[in-house]
Amino acid sequence: MIFSARTRELLAEQQQRYFRSLPQKRAQIERCWETIQVNGPTSANTDELRLHVHRLAGSAGSYGLGGVGDAAKQLDLALGSGAHVAVDWQTVDLTMAELLQQFGQIPPLGSVV
Amino acid sequence: MTASTDTTGYLQQEVLRNARYLVLTVDKHGLVARQECPGIQWRIEGVTTGRKLPDDLQGIIESTNGQIAPQLIPYVNLQGNLIADVHVLNRGDDRQIILQDVSGPHDDKRKLQQKAHEVTLLLEHQAELNRQLEQKKREAERASQAKSEFIASMSHEFKSPISSILIHADRLRATTPEACEPAAIQGAAWYLLTLVDNLLTQARSGEGELHLHQAVVDVRCLLEDLTEIFSNQAQQRGLQFHVSCSGVSRFLVTDEVRLKQVLINLLSNAVRYTNQGHVSLVCESTPSQTRFRVEDSGIGIAQPDLEAIFRPFERLNPGASSGAGLGLAISRSLVEAMGGEIQVQSEPGKGSTFSFELDNGDLAGSDSGKSLSGVTVLLVEDDEDLKETYRVLLEDWGMEVFTSSSFLAAVEMFRSRSIHLVVADQYLGDGNGRDLLERFRAENPAIRTILCSGAEPSFSGDPSIDLLLNKPVSAERLYAALLHVV
């Protein structure tokens, strides 16, 4: 499959844009997590956290961030993605730590294929 | 006389000649003065010249007393099961009673009414049966839906804690690499996960609810996942674990979850029944097919047992090994559902090889003349990053692209444009992508559809979805998916 040169440029721009958005994505998730830890989990704050985590799980791998994507997917599963199951908050805590660690290990943009 | 009068007179004579009429003249004393039969001769029981009329007739005549105009009393029951129309005419002091035998027509009419009544009853009965059938159908559908939801719920209820166990065991292994317990915990958890998957599959297939989701499977990624699961398990038992992949096609179209379930079943058995040596997973692809092979150097299977091992709940030497006896039975069913056939070669003491082939699906590229150029696609995705990236790719491949971030906006756009293909994310802010595709398919049966999802589908195969695309989606897999459905 061949991409045109122009498309390769556009895709590179897309990747750069995504990388630039990562701090904001991380902040959104951390904010939601802090709210849950301080105020306790509610339907609203858990759904908000699920939304951000689910989007990250579905997108990160498409931009070469497999580690972040996998960790987000684990957290998404722990949050009971799309299913009405009781959340195991201990596992959420563990997988959240793994995700935040993965955020900290994101390589420089030029090194990601 | 005119011609019409002649005709009328003729017809009157013919009618009289072929009918049964009895004309009675009754005098002012109520006695029958005269009887005449203008047509077919007949008599009525109880009517005698010089005597009064029978009571039933007498009552009828008296009911017309005081009436000047001729009176007709239809369908009078007379003695002898006769039915007659009774005409009463005044002739000065006398009364003329004309009795017309209508037993035949009356009988026919009665029979017709009876039939009509029976038909009405039958129709009512049928309508009631239909109502009952509809109600039973609704109840059965509700029960089936409830069961599907229960199975889906149980799937999550079982899998979530097992996933937690795996995650915690993985962290333990990372923090205490020298400890053997985390690997043992993971092995047990994977066994439970496999067992749950097989039991739920058995439950679904028993009710005819096992439907496949067609998805573009990245074989390399699948093999990497399996390596991660089984390399540790094999190592725990002192076995070597090999994975190899060769050939030209990286993708195939099949149910990714079920394919993985089959390979997990085969690999679990291989590890369980091998005490020394190796377990190998080999994948070989041609442009049209992909072949999977699981080999082991285990205890092997005797020839007479090679068919029995595929029967549900059948276990050879149940005391010597664990397992519910479902893995191979389910694997065979799943492979057959995916269009393949499991074959086994084995010899006691020399190991076993389980293999099957699957068609890759229509993933041909430009060699086949297939092109995406000019295809109009509606892309529905509420993640702005992904929507923009997909749009760039789709336009690069020559497609005319319309985008939408929401369910409602997508509905509007679909109605106002000629769309060939819809690619939708399952989870939209204001709705469900699956519902959207179902709606579009109902409006336009020719529309082609792809559903993008980040989670394992909780629904059975949906005919309104042509292909499932599991996230994250690579450009290569998106391209392969589009070629398959267009």
Side-chain angles (χ1 to χ4, degrees):
Chain A
M1 180 178 42
I2 299 170
F3 294 126
S4 64
R6 172 62 185 151
T7 300
R8 268 193 273 269
E9 278 177 30
L10 289 170
L11 285 175
E13 284 174 16
Q14 291 296 309
Q15 195 178 37
Q16 286 174 17
R17 193 172 83 163
Y18 191 83
F19 266 63
R20 283 196 297 272
S21 75
L22 286 172
Q24 183 193 8
K25 288 177 174 21
R26 175 177 180 159
Q28 279 171 337
I29 290 171
E30 284 182 309
R31 179 178 50 76
C32 287
W33 182 228
E34 194 181 328
T35 303
I36 290 172
Q37 287 178 306
V38 169
N39 301 332
T42 66
S43 178
N45 61 29
T46 308
D47 282 347
E48 192 184 349
L49 177 60
R50 275 199 194 102
L51 175 66
H52 294 305
V53 170
H54 185 73
R55 280 187 177 160
L56 186 66
S59 62
S62 297
Y63 299 96
L65 298 168
V68 171
D70 287 346
K73 195 158 190 177
Q74 294 278 32
L75 178 53
D76 196 23
L77 282 171
L79 286 167
S81 61
H84 298 289
V85 294
V87 178
D88 176 4
W89 290 106
Q90 200 169 7
T91 304
V92 169
D93 189 41
L94 188 65
T95 49
M96 177 67 75
E98 174 63 23
L99 175 61
L100 297 178
Q101 188 179 9
Q102 286 294 331
F103 267 119
Q105 292 174 358
I106 292 174
L109 176 58
S111 65
V112 176
V113 177
Chain B
M1 268 190 188
T2 62
S4 63
T5 306
D6 281 340
T7 305
T8 303
Y10 168 75
L11 285 171
Q12 284 171 339
Q13 284 177 2
E14 283 297 301
V15 168
L16 280 174
R17 193 164 62 85
N18 292 301
R20 297 215 301 183
Y21 285 94
L22 182 61
V23 182
L24 305 174
T25 303
V26 178
D27 66 18
K28 62 184 176 181
H29 302 295
L31 300 175
V32 177
R34 192 162 57 247
Q35 291 188 53
E36 295 170 283
C37 287
I40 298 172
Q41 291 294 310
W42 69 310
R43 292 185 62 80
I44 291 178
E45 198 176 318
V47 175
T48 308
T49 305
R51 290 179 181 261
K52 280 187 180 287
L53 286 169
D55 290 340
D56 51 359
L57 266 176
Q58 187 65 38
I60 287 167
I61 305 310
E62 285 170 3
S63 71
T64 65
N65 285 347
Q67 301 292 331
I68 296 173
Q71 298 295 304
L72 166 62
I73 302 97
Y75 295 120
V76 174
N77 277 302
L78 299 177
Q79 292 177 25
N81 291 325
L82 284 172
I83 308 293
D85 284 351
V86 180
H87 304 257
V88 181
L89 294 86
N90 290 309
R91 293 281 186 258
D93 289 337
D94 295 338
R95 307 283 283 280
Q96 201 163 43
I97 317 300
I98 303 173
L99 296 153
Q100 179 187 1
D101 182 9
V102 294
S103 300
H106 180 268
D107 199 43
D108 290 344
K109 187 178 176 183
R110 186 183 58 77
K111 284 178 182 173
L112 201 60
Q113 286 173 338
Q114 177 72 18
K115 286 292 176 198
H117 181 62
E118 287 172 6
V119 168
T120 302
L121 287 176
L122 277 172
L123 288 173
E124 285 175 4
H125 183 62
Q126 187 177 19
E128 176 59 27
L129 285 176
N130 284 341
R131 275 192 295 274
Q132 289 178 9
L133 195 62
E134 272 304 310
Q135 188 183 348
K136 291 291 180 198
K137 186 182 166 193
R138 280 194 297 271
E139 287 172 8
E141 282 171 354
R142 275 197 295 271
S144 176
Q145 177 69 18
K147 185 179 174 187
S148 292
E149 287 169 4
F150 173 76
I151 290 175
S153 171
M154 283 299 105
S155 174
H156 287 289
E157 290 287 350
F158 277 111
K159 288 183 177 180
S160 288
I162 295 175
S163 296
S164 294
I165 293 170
L166 285 166
I167 289 166
H168 285 276
D170 197 45
R171 296 299 167 268
L172 266 178
R173 198 159 56 87
T175 53
T176 55
E178 69 283 358
C180 59
E181 288 84 353
I185 294 170
Q186 279 183 317
W190 272 112
Y191 168 73
L192 277 176
L193 204 56
T194 308
L195 188 60
V196 165
D197 269 335
N198 286 338
L199 285 169
L200 291 173
T201 303
Q202 182 73 1
R204 283 193 176 109
S205 62
E207 294 294 317
E209 292 175 0
L210 187 62
H211 302 286
L212 302 186
H213 302 276
Q214 294 295 92
V216 177
V217 180
D218 187 327
V219 177
R220 264 189 261 159
C221 291
L222 175 64
L223 296 185
E224 283 170 8
D225 286 347
L226 293 170
T227 301
E228 198 175 322
I229 296 167
F230 286 98
S231 57
N232 290 326
Q233 290 187 35
Q235 195 180 22
Q236 277 286 102
R237 291 175 58 79
L239 304 173
Q240 293 176 14
F241 183 72
H242 307 298
V243 175
S244 69
C245 182
S246 63
V248 297
S249 181
R250 181 176 160 182
F251 302 105
L252 77 145
V253 176
T254 191
D255 188 315
E256 184 168 6
V257 171
R258 299 304 178 188
L259 174 58
K260 193 171 179 179
Q261 185 178 357
V262 168
L263 291 170
I264 286 175
N265 280 333
L266 296 180
L267 287 167
S268 294
N269 281 348
V271 170
R272 188 181 307 137
Y273 294 109
T274 302
N275 298 317
Q276 60 183 20
H278 73 275
V279 171
S280 301
L281 171 59
V282 179
C283 172
E284 296 154 336
S285 72
T286 66
S288 58
Q289 286 193 315
T290 299
R291 184 173 182 83
F292 297 91
R293 202 165 70 242
V294 174
E295 302 170 345
D296 66 63
S297 58
I299 61 176
I301 307 161
Q303 183 69 27
D305 296 326
L306 287 181
E307 187 52 40
I309 57 174
F310 288 105
R311 289 198 285 263
F313 310 110
E314 186 87 27
R315 292 173 54 208
L316 306 177
N317 305 315
S321 64
S322 58
L326 276 177
L328 285 177
I330 283 170
S331 297
R332 171 181 263 184
S333 298
L334 291 176
V335 168
E336 285 175 1
M338 290 188 281
E341 186 184 347
I342 286 190
Q343 289 158 340
V344 57
Q345 289 173 307
S346 187
E347 205 176 319
K350 294 187 178 177
S352 305
T353 299
F354 288 81
S355 61
F356 59 94
E357 271 180 0
L358 297 178
D359 285 339
N360 291 341
D362 193 4
L363 294 171
S366 56
D367 293 345
S368 69
K370 250 192 170 181
S371 168
L372 299 174
S373 180
V375 174
T376 309
V377 55
L378 172 59
L379 174 61
V380 189
E381 171 63 70
D382 63 350
D383 183 318
E384 291 300 320
D385 295 315
L386 285 178
K387 188 174 70 177
E388 183 57 20
T389 302
Y390 294 160
R391 185 193 64 76
V392 165
L393 287 169
L394 296 174
E395 284 179 352
D396 183 56
W397 294 327
M399 304 179 91
E400 186 179 2
V401 184
F402 299 99
T403 63
S404 164
S405 302
S406 74
F407 187 105
L408 290 175
V411 169
E412 283 304 312
M413 198 163 285
F414 185 77
R415 287 186 179 151
S416 62
R417 286 166 176 80
S418 175
I419 304 287
H420 299 126
L421 162 70
V422 181
V423 179
D425 186 46
Q426 182 167 0
Y427 296 107
L428 301 169
D430 62 340
N432 186 305
R434 181 190 168 202
D435 294 338
L436 189 69
L437 297 183
E438 195 177 316
R439 183 176 180 150
F440 289 163
R441 180 57 61 82
E443 289 183 26
N444 179 4
I447 197 77
R448 306 299 287 164
T449 59
I450 295 176
L451 183 70
C452 298
S453 175
E456 181 183 326
S458 60
F459 52 89
S460 297
D462 189 334
S464 59
I465 300 169
D466 292 317
L467 198 69
L468 200 64
L469 204 49
N470 295 314
K471 284 181 165 179
V473 180
S474 66
E476 293 88 350
R477 209 147 58 88
L478 178 59
Y479 187 71
L482 292 168
L483 283 180
H484 179 74
V485 298
V486 166

